[in-house]
Structures are given as C-alpha cells and as structure tokens.
Amino acid sequence: MPDADTDLSWPDALGPVRRREWVPLRTLTVLRWLAIAGQVAALVVATKVLSLDIATGAASLAVGASVVVNLVATFTTSPTRRLTEREATLLLTFDILQLGLLLALTGGLNNPFALLLLAPVTIAASVLHPRSTLVLGGLTLTIITALGPWHLPLLTSAGPLETPRLFLWGFWVALMIGVGFLGLYARSVTAEMAAISEALTATQLALDRAQRLSDLDGVVAAAAHELGTPLATIKLVSSEMIEELSDHPELADLREDAELLRAQADRCRDILRAMGREGRRDPYLDRAPFEAVLREAAEPHLDRGKAVEILVAAGRQPEIPRRPEIVHGLRNLVQNAVDFANSRVEIRLDWTRDRLVVRIRDDGPGFEPALLDRIGDPFMRGRPSSRPVLHEADPPRPGYEGMGLGLFIAKSLLERTGARLTFANDAGGGAVAVVAWPYGALSAASPASAEPTAAEPGVVPHS
C-alpha cells in the first residue's frame, strides 16, 4: 500500500487543468436570463405601479445589451462549453458594467438593487484566479463609489426620491465591505472544496495503484505456473538432442547449441520460480483473517512511542477482503488515535453472526463534545489544538494536525466498503472510533464458522 503522505502530491499536476475552464457557459447564460427577467420586472413595477419617472429608453437599451449577449452566446457557442479564464472574466466584466449603468440610470445607491453588484464578484471569487477576482473586485468598488455622486435621480410626483445622506454613506460602506467579505468567503470555501477534491483524488490514485500492483502479483504467479510445462518440454527435448549428438563429434557445434538451449531453459525456470514466489509472497493477497488486515493497517504506527494493544476475540476469525480502502481507512483511524494518545491505544476486534466490529480507543483528551456530531466532516477538527509529545520520534506534525481531512478520508473510504462509523468519548477518558460492517458488505466467511467463543480475548501488545 503506497504511503498516503507521498501520494497526496500527485494531484498537483492536475490542478491547473482543473482550475482552467471551470465555468460552464450555460451557468452564466442562465443566471443572466434570470437577471434580465428581474430587471425587466423591476422597470415595469417602477414605471407602471410606483409611477416613477426614470430614463426608460436608456434603461431598456442596457437590458437589451444583456439580451443580445445572451442570444449571441446561445446561438454561436455550445451551451456545454466551458469558458476559459479570460472569457469568464470578460463576461463578468460586462455584467458588472451593465448593472452599474442600469443603476446609474435608476437612482444609483438610492436604488436598493445596488446590492446585486455583489453577485458577479462572488461568482468570480468562486471560479476564477485571484488576479482576475481582484480586477473584477476593484472594478465593482469603483462603480459603487462612482454611483454615489453620478446618477440620475428617481423622480416621483412629489420630486426626487433621495435617501438620507447618512443612510447613503452607510449603504456605501456596507457594499464595500460586502464585496471584500463575500469575495474572501467564496474564495476560502472554494479552496477548501478543491483541497478535499485533491485529497480524495490522491487517495483514490493510491488505492488504484495498490490494486494494480496486487493484480500484477497474481498475473506473475499465474504466468510462472502456465509457462512451467512448455519450459519443461524444451528442456527434455534439448537433453535428448544432446545425448544423440554426443555420438557425432562432427556435430559438436549443434551439441553446444543444444546445451545452450537447455541452460537457458533452466534459467527461465529459475526466474519464473522466483517470480512465482514473489507473486505469492503475501498469503493475504485477496482475502485475509480479520486481524491480519488490521495489523497491516496499524503497522506504520506501532513504533511511534505509544503502546498499541490489539485485542482479538477468541475463536476462528472471519476472513475479509484485503481491499486498499479498508487498509487505508483503518490506518488513518489508527494514526489519529496514536497522534492524540498520551501513552496507549487499544484496538479491539469483535464479530458476531451479524457484523464485524473494530473499536479504536486512545487515552488522549478525547473529542470536543460540542463537535461530536460533526466528526468526519471535511476540515472539522474534533480534538484540542495541541497534543502531548512524549517521544522524540513523534513530533508535532502540522500536516496531520489541524487539517481535518484524515478522519474525513477514513470515513469516506470505509463507508464505501459498507462500514458505519461512530465517534464518541469513552467514560474513562479518551476518544473512541467504532467501525462496523454487516457480514454481507464484505462477503465474509459464513458467520457460523467465525462465531467467537466466550473465552477471554487475546492481547498482543506493541510498544
């Protein structure tokens, strides 16, 4: 199983491809049609219902410009096309300028719909490069500032409709803050989602690689077995040729060729035997006893200065698939327990006729009670921000502490195999993670053949 720490760097090469052409044209087109419908409705209500005197002709031209852009985009380009960074920036720039012009014709900041200027910036922060987002954000701030002094007033029968100056300044400040806050918020959420995607992609790549290596071992073993017979035939024929040619000194060259052929057949036999042993070296290639799979998962964390005890119920253990998802998921849970344990981690294996259970308990500070229901969510840390360091070989590791992805990846992988995870705090102190599979989920051996006895579980300590 490849180490997840190194494999997490694999998606870096995929990052530019993923970030480029992220925005579907259809998304911006649909949003613009909704904006057009809202703008038309607002103009109709303002003129027909509220009897406001506004520059209807110029405002209609501004709305018509959006209609033209949408029609051109709809009939000249496939709606499923994804926009480049430059194209998306240009379209969002048009949306900001169009909305700014419409607001300038309808009261400026006195128009409550000025709040909609926040929408293009939020979209840009979610899908575009920070440089493009800063450009669009600066353009939006400039337009918001310009709308204060330069705009056509909203006229009623009683005169211009003006907002009190103090309120107008407050609205300007709120919009300026809103542009920055919503932009940063949308950017941070997108970055977190991208990090989750990279983590899951890296994990899946590691699992696929491990599976391919496992399959290759099986192919090598099968090839060694199947090629044994033809090589034995070659050796037998070459040996007979050598015996017949021994009585003919004039055919010494042919005898040497036959001896070379037999020697090469012996060499191929030795190579295939070694390859076959290599392919069958792991007796748990496809399925393994319950305990063996767990030991493989826990092995990298048995010598980190904390005592790790594996308690196994007595009786014949069920065999489970040695799937990379199970090994990697359990490994993350064991790692989390060892990271936060004071001195000891207990791993208990149990099984009944209905399910298989792994219970991992540490003697650390436990989970934050207020966050227990959210343990396993991405970027959710359920532990205190600091943990004891009792061994020089186990220093603080920011890559594991503070990200909140370890338990999320473990939960995702194990649930993919049919497991159900629960997290709790033990009454005696420390955190507890329980992984339970129904027998059918792992296609395990018959429950009757794996039923535990009432004997005391065996304990195999590691320190």
Side-chain angles (χ1 to χ4, degrees):
M1 179 74 185
D3 185 17
D5 298 343
T6 57
D7 292 333
L8 283 175
S9 62
W10 295 1
D12 292 346
L14 304 177
V17 177
R18 187 189 65 254
R19 293 292 299 179
R20 193 186 308 130
E21 300 186 359
W22 231 19
V23 188
L25 177 61
R26 176 183 297 171
T27 299
L28 291 185
T29 303
V30 171
L31 291 176
R32 193 175 294 110
W33 281 126
L34 293 175
I36 291 170
Q39 291 167 3
V40 170
L43 289 176
V44 170
V45 171
T47 56
K48 302 300 182 181
V49 179
L50 302 179
S51 300
L52 297 178
D53 185 10
I54 60 178
T56 308
S60 298
L61 289 177
V63 176
S66 284
V67 174
V68 171
V69 169
N70 254 17
L71 291 176
V72 171
T74 300
F75 291 106
T76 62
T77 309
S78 171
T80 59
R81 180 182 173 219
R82 294 186 177 272
L83 301 174
T84 63
E85 176 89 11
R86 183 170 179 268
E87 292 170 339
T89 302
L90 289 175
L91 284 178
L92 290 173
T93 299
F94 168 80
D95 291 335
I96 294 172
L97 292 175
Q98 187 266 350
L99 183 56
L101 175 61
L102 195 58
L103 289 171
L105 297 171
T106 56
L109 296 185
N110 295 289
N111 189 331
F113 290 104
L115 185 68
L116 294 177
L117 281 169
L118 301 178
V121 178
T122 304
I123 295 174
S126 301
V127 297
L128 298 183
H129 191 275
R131 181 177 58 254
S132 302
T133 303
L134 288 175
V135 171
L136 294 175
L139 176 61
T140 303
L141 295 176
T142 302
I143 290 177
I144 291 173
T145 302
L147 286 175
W150 295 300
H151 63 270
L152 296 180
L154 292 172
L155 298 177
T156 66
S157 57
L161 185 64
E162 293 288 346
T163 304
R165 181 168 293 275
L166 180 61
F167 184 83
L168 197 64
W169 275 104
F171 190 38
W172 176 81
V173 172
L175 289 175
M176 300 289 281
I177 295 175
V179 169
F181 175 77
L182 288 180
L184 290 175
Y185 180 79
R187 187 71 194 173
S188 63
V189 170
T190 303
E192 289 179 358
M193 296 303 298
I196 293 172
S197 177
E198 289 182 0
L200 292 179
T201 301
T203 303
Q204 188 60 54
L205 288 173
L207 298 178
D208 292 343
R209 179 182 176 188
Q211 188 62 50
R212 286 196 300 270
L213 292 175
S214 177
D215 294 341
L216 181 60
D217 285 344
V219 171
V220 168
H225 175 74
E226 296 296 332
L227 292 176
T229 300
L231 285 175
T233 302
I234 294 173
K235 181 179 179 181
L236 177 61
V237 173
S238 61
S239 298
E240 292 178 352
M241 291 175 61
I242 292 173
E243 291 180 1
E244 293 180 1
L245 293 173
S246 297
D247 300 331
H248 302 278
E250 68 278 8
L251 300 177
D253 292 342
L254 292 178
R255 183 173 182 275
E256 291 178 0
D257 291 341
E259 290 176 347
L260 178 60
L261 183 62
R262 183 175 65 178
Q264 292 302 311
D266 289 338
R267 183 182 177 189
C268 288
R269 178 200 61 195
D270 296 338
I271 292 174
L272 287 175
R273 282 179 178 176
M275 292 173 66
R277 287 193 299 269
E278 182 70 17
R280 294 187 296 267
R281 180 177 57 188
D282 189 349
Y284 310 126
L285 192 59
D286 297 319
R287 302 182 67 82
F290 196 8
E291 180 184 1
V293 175
L294 179 60
R295 288 189 182 279
E296 179 182 356
E299 190 275 334
H301 306 290
L302 297 180
D303 298 316
R304 289 181 49 201
K306 314 287 178 66
V308 179
E309 296 183 338
I310 301 178
L311 288 71
V312 185
R316 181 181 175 184
Q317 295 184 32
E319 290 189 352
I320 65 173
R322 184 179 166 271
R323 294 173 55 180
E325 293 96 329
I326 297 176
V327 175
H328 193 83
L330 291 175
R331 181 171 296 166
N332 275 14
L333 293 179
V334 174
Q335 172 187 294
N336 183 76
V338 173
D339 280 345
F340 290 93
N342 290 323
S343 60
R344 181 176 180 272
V345 173
E346 175 187 290
I347 306 174
R348 181 181 295 274
L349 280 67
D350 292 297
W351 56 91
T352 66
R353 290 181 177 274
D354 301 321
R355 63 177 190 162
L356 309 174
V357 181
V358 177
R359 182 178 183 271
I360 302 173
R361 175 186 176 275
D362 62 72
D363 61 350
F367 296 116
E368 294 286 350
L371 301 178
L372 270 177
D373 293 338
R374 300 182 61 189
I375 298 298
D377 288 350
F379 296 97
M380 177 54 58
R381 295 177 298 172
R383 302 276 193 154
S385 58
S386 61
R387 61 182 175 88
V389 179
L390 302 179
H391 195 273
E392 60 182 4
D394 186 32
R397 295 180 297 167
Y400 294 106
E401 182 180 324
M403 286 294 290
L405 285 177
L407 291 179
F408 166 68
I409 293 175
K411 189 171 184 288
S412 300
L413 293 176
L414 292 172
E415 286 182 346
R416 185 183 303 177
T417 67
R420 180 178 179 183
L421 278 72
T422 55
F423 301 94
N425 287 323
D426 191 78
V432 179
V434 179
V435 187
W437 291 272
Y439 262 95
L442 297 180
S443 299
S446 171
S449 65
E451 184 177 0
T453 66
E456 185 71 17
V459 179
V460 183
H462 294 271
S463 60

